Amino acid sequence: MINIEQKEVWFITGSQHLYGEETLNQVAANSAAIVKGLNESSLVPVKLVHKDTVKTPDEITQVMLEANNNTDCIGIITWMHTFSPAKMWINGLSILKKPICHLHTQFNAEIPWSKIDMDFMNLNQSAHGDREFGFIMSRMRKKRKVIVGHWKTEATQRKVGNWLRVALGWDELQNLKVARIGDNMRQVAVTEGDKVAAQIKFGVSVNGYDASDVVKHINSVSDSDLNKLLKTYENEYELTASLKEGGDKRDSLIDAAKIELGLRAFLEEGGFKAFTDTFENLGELKQLPGLAVQRLMADGYGFGAEGDWKTAALLRAMKVMTQGLDGGTSFMEDYTNHFTSDRDYVLGSHMLEICPSIADAKPTCEVHPLGIGGKEDPVRLVFNSPKGPALNASLVDMGNRFRLIVNEVEAVEPEADLPNLPVARVLWDPKPDMDVAVTSWILAGGAHHTVYTQALTTEFLEDFADIAGIELLVIDDKTTLRQFKDTLNANEAYYHLFQHGM
C-alpha cells in the first residue's frame, strides 16, 4: 500500500540555557531514552527521530525550517522537559507547516517522596513547562494534538501511535493524485466540489481522464498475465458455476480480469493512488468495473463511484492510516432502511464496489445483470460484513469550507439470508438511534457516499480535521438534535467570521 519505513516524526524537546550544562545533558539523555522506548513499542508505527534540545529562538526556528523541508518528516512531537519560555517558539511555530503533537509527559512516572529536592524539581518540571508551551499555541490559534500521560504506558503509546497514523494519512494527501475516469454522475450535487480549493486545503490533485485512457491498457494485456489473474480469482474466491472454466459466463470473468489489469496498469503508470468512474462514461469498457475496483480498494487504492473524488481521496487517506490494524475500510453508500417496532437500521451497499477488506468470510464471485449503464453483466464479489463498532465518514464541500461528518454505528448481523441481493452489504445501527442520527446527517448535508471503517475510531478523524483545519461534525451516542442544531448554527457564524478575517 505505502512504504512507511522511510517516514519519520521528529521528537523535539524544549528547554533553555538557564539550568546549566549538567541539567541540559540530562534533558538530552532522557529525551533520547523516551524516543528509544516509543520506537520499541509495537503501537508506534512510524520511526521517531530524536532531535537536539532546542534552547533559543534561533534553534527553534532552524529545526522547524528543517522539518518543513524534509520530505520524510511527516510531523513533529514536542515536549517541554523543563520550562521553555514560549516567546522563543513564536517564529518557529509561525513557519511550521507539518502537523504537530504536544506530548505532556515526564521522564519519571512517580515522585520520589523521600529524595525529591529542588534539583529534581528543576529538571522535571514538565507540569508547568508544557502549560507555558500550550498557552502560546492557543494564543496563536495553532491546531495541534495534545496527549497527556506517562510515555511508558500502553494508553499513551497507543495515542501517540494513532496520531502518527493520522499524520501518515495527511502526508499521503499532500501529493495524492486522483484520476477521475469520466465525469460526475449527471445532475448529482453532493459528489461535485471545488477541486482547486481541495488542492489548496488538502494537497490532493484531481484531474479527468477518459475511459479510452484505460481501454488502451486493457488492449495490451498479455495472455500470461490474464491467466495468472484468473487463477488468483479461482484461489481467493468462491466462483459460481457460470464463472468457472467452461461456464456460460466465463467470458464475463475474462473481461473483468482484463479490466482489472488494464485499470491497474493505468493507475500505476500515472502514479494515481485513488480514482473514480461512472456508469455514464464507460466508453468501450464492456462492463462497469466491479471486481477490479473491489480488488484495487483491497490493495489500498481510494475509490469513489459516479465521479466522487472527495470520497476517493478520503478513502485513500484512511486506508493509509489503517495499515497493520484489524478491521477493514471501504467505500460505502447508505442504500436502504429497515424500520422495525424495536430498532431501525440502515443497509449499506452499492451497485458493485464494496471493498472485501470488510468481508466476514471468503467472498463469492458472481455475475448478475445491472439495470443501469447499458453494458454487459458485471462481475462482483458478494459478502456480508462482520458485526461490531464502526463509523461512516463523509467529506462535503459547503461552498465556503469543507465539512467532515462522522456517524458512529454498530454493525449487526442481517436478520435473514439475502439470497437475491447480488452485492456486498453491511447492516448497521446508527448511533444514537435512526431518528437522531439520520436527521442530524441530513441537516449537516452528509453525502450518500461515505467511507465505512471498522479499523479507525472517531479520534483519528478528529485529529485529521484539526490537521486539515476543516469543520468536523460528530454524531454519536451523546448526540441530541437540539445540541446538533446549535452546533450547526454556531459553526455557520464561526466560519462566516473566519472567512472575513474577523
Side-chain angles (χ1 to χ4, degrees):
M1 181 190 297
I2 179 177
N3 180 14
I4 67 173
E5 292 183 1
Q6 67 185 34
K7 301 297 182 180
E8 57 190 43
V9 168
W10 291 4
F11 192 95
I12 301 171
T13 305
S15 187
Q16 59 180 322
H17 283 295
L18 178 66
Y19 304 106
E21 201 65 29
E22 183 178 351
T23 297
L24 289 174
N25 289 339
Q26 191 62 54
V27 166
N30 290 351
S31 299
I34 290 176
V35 170
K36 182 175 183 294
L38 292 175
N39 279 331
E40 291 172 350
S41 171
S42 61
L43 300 171
V44 178
V46 180
K47 177 179 65 177
L48 300 183
V49 176
H50 177 250
K51 307 301 288 186
D52 291 340
T53 306
V54 290
K55 307 167 290 296
T56 67
D58 288 344
E59 290 176 355
I60 293 167
T61 299
Q62 184 59 36
V63 76
M64 297 303 184
L65 285 171
E66 292 172 0
N68 285 343
N69 293 326
N70 189 307
T71 56
D72 292 337
C73 176
I74 64 170
I76 68 170
I77 295 177
T78 55
W79 173 48
M80 305 303 111
H81 193 314
T82 63
F83 194 78
S84 181
K87 287 173 65 177
M88 297 196 307
W89 289 84
I90 292 174
N91 188 55
L93 291 173
S94 296
I95 63 176
L96 179 65
K97 302 297 184 184
K98 300 293 176 76
I100 180 171
C101 171
H102 181 190
L103 176 61
H104 179 59
T105 191
Q106 193 167 272
F107 185 70
N108 60 295
E110 299 179 352
I111 294 173
W113 299 107
S114 63
K115 298 180 180 180
I116 188 169
D117 56 18
M118 284 310 300
D119 288 338
F120 183 93
M121 295 274 277
N122 284 333
L123 176 63
N124 300 286
Q125 53 179 303
S126 302
H128 76 287
D130 278 326
R131 283 165 172 78
E132 164 77 355
F133 184 63
F135 166 76
I136 200 61
M137 284 203 282
S138 295
R139 176 67 175 80
M140 296 173 67
R141 276 59 173 180
K142 190 80 175 177
K143 290 287 189 180
R144 75 279 195 190
K145 175 71 172 180
V146 177
I147 297 175
V148 177
H150 194 257
W151 59 276
K152 284 187 176 181
T153 65
E154 181 176 309
T156 299
Q157 292 175 2
R158 186 179 302 280
K159 288 181 180 179
V160 170
N162 289 351
W163 183 81
L164 294 178
R165 291 182 178 280
V166 178
L168 276 171
W170 176 251
D171 179 70
E172 178 67 15
L173 283 182
Q174 301 313 293
N175 299 291
L176 178 64
K177 295 170 63 179
V178 179
R180 205 175 188 210
I181 304 168
D183 200 357
N184 195 60
M185 180 180 172
R186 296 167 197 145
Q187 306 299 332
V188 176
V190 75
T191 50
E192 288 282 12
D194 188 334
K195 295 189 285 293
V196 174
Q199 189 162 355
I200 294 170
K201 176 59 72 174
F202 303 107
V204 58
S205 172
V206 184
N207 288 292
Y209 296 85
D210 190 74
S212 61
D213 294 314
V214 178
V215 170
K216 66 182 181 182
H217 288 279
I218 294 174
N219 293 336
S220 299
V221 169
S222 69
D223 289 341
S224 61
D225 287 341
L226 175 62
N227 291 330
K228 182 179 179 181
L229 184 56
L230 290 171
K231 287 293 184 183
T232 298
Y233 293 165
E234 292 167 358
N235 292 332
E236 294 187 3
Y237 314 118
E238 295 289 348
L239 270 61
T240 57
S242 65
L243 293 179
K244 293 180 179 178
E245 196 165 0
D248 61 349
K249 293 290 185 178
R250 181 69 173 186
D251 286 345
S252 295
L253 188 65
I254 292 172
D255 289 336
K258 289 181 178 179
I259 290 173
E260 177 182 340
L261 290 167
L263 181 54
R264 192 180 291 272
F266 164 76
L267 296 172
E268 290 176 352
E269 181 182 78
F272 304 109
K273 295 299 182 182
F275 66 102
T276 72
D277 63 18
T278 176
F279 58 85
E280 291 177 318
N281 295 114
L282 293 176
E284 296 180 15
L285 291 175
K286 290 186 176 181
Q287 55 183 261
L288 176 64
L291 178 59
V293 171
Q294 291 178 291
R295 286 175 49 81
L296 285 163
M297 277 194 287
D299 288 341
Y301 283 88
F303 173 77
E306 293 100 39
D308 188 355
W309 53 271
K310 297 188 297 299
T311 301
L314 181 62
L315 175 57
R316 171 60 182 177
M318 291 173 65
K319 285 277 192 182
V320 170
M321 294 180 204
T322 65
Q323 274 195 117
L325 295 179
D326 294 332
T329 302
S330 177
F331 172 77
M332 187 58 67
E333 180 172 273
D334 301 77
Y335 222 101
T336 193
N337 295 323
H338 181 56
F339 292 110
T340 75
S341 58
D342 297 323
R343 195 76 179 174
D344 303 326
Y345 302 91
V346 177
L347 183 68
S349 186
H350 203 255
M351 293 186 294
L352 303 171
E353 308 97 338
I354 302 299
C355 179
S357 68
I358 67 168
D360 66 350
K362 189 174 185 179
T364 59
C365 187
E366 307 176 14
V367 59
H368 299 277
L370 182 67
I372 194 169
K375 292 291 183 175
E376 296 178 8
D377 300 343
V379 180
R380 80 291 305 268
L381 300 176
V382 178
F383 51 84
N384 290 324
S385 187
K387 62 182 180 180
L391 62 81
N392 279 303
S394 172
L395 182 64
V396 296
D397 185 346
M398 298 303 293
N400 65 338
R401 66 191 186 276
F402 289 96
R403 170 181 284 172
L404 181 61
I405 309 157
V406 175
N407 184 202
E408 296 180 0
V409 304
E410 185 75 21
V412 300
E413 292 182 358
E415 295 181 6
D417 292 335
L418 299 160
N420 297 312
L421 185 62
V423 288
R425 58 266 172 158
V426 53
L427 185 69
W428 66 74
D429 178 1
K431 294 182 180 180
D433 55 50
M434 175 77 94
D435 181 13
V436 174
V438 178
T439 300
S440 299
W441 189 272
I442 291 173
L443 287 172
H448 54 286
H449 289 168
T450 64
V451 177
Y452 172 88
T453 181
Q454 290 189 306
L456 303 178
T457 63
T458 299
E459 183 180 11
F460 287 84
L461 297 182
E462 181 180 358
D463 291 345
F464 173 82
D466 281 341
I467 291 174
I470 62 173
E471 181 185 11
L472 173 70
L473 294 172
V474 176
I475 306 167
D476 58 16
D477 57 3
K478 298 180 178 64
T479 299
T480 66
L481 283 177
R482 180 176 297 169
Q483 163 262 319
F484 196 80
K485 289 178 181 179
D486 286 345
T487 299
L488 286 172
N489 292 332
N491 286 4
E492 286 296 334
Y494 170 81
Y495 283 98
H496 175 76
L497 294 173
F498 180 78
Q499 187 179 28
H500 292 84
M502 300 177 68

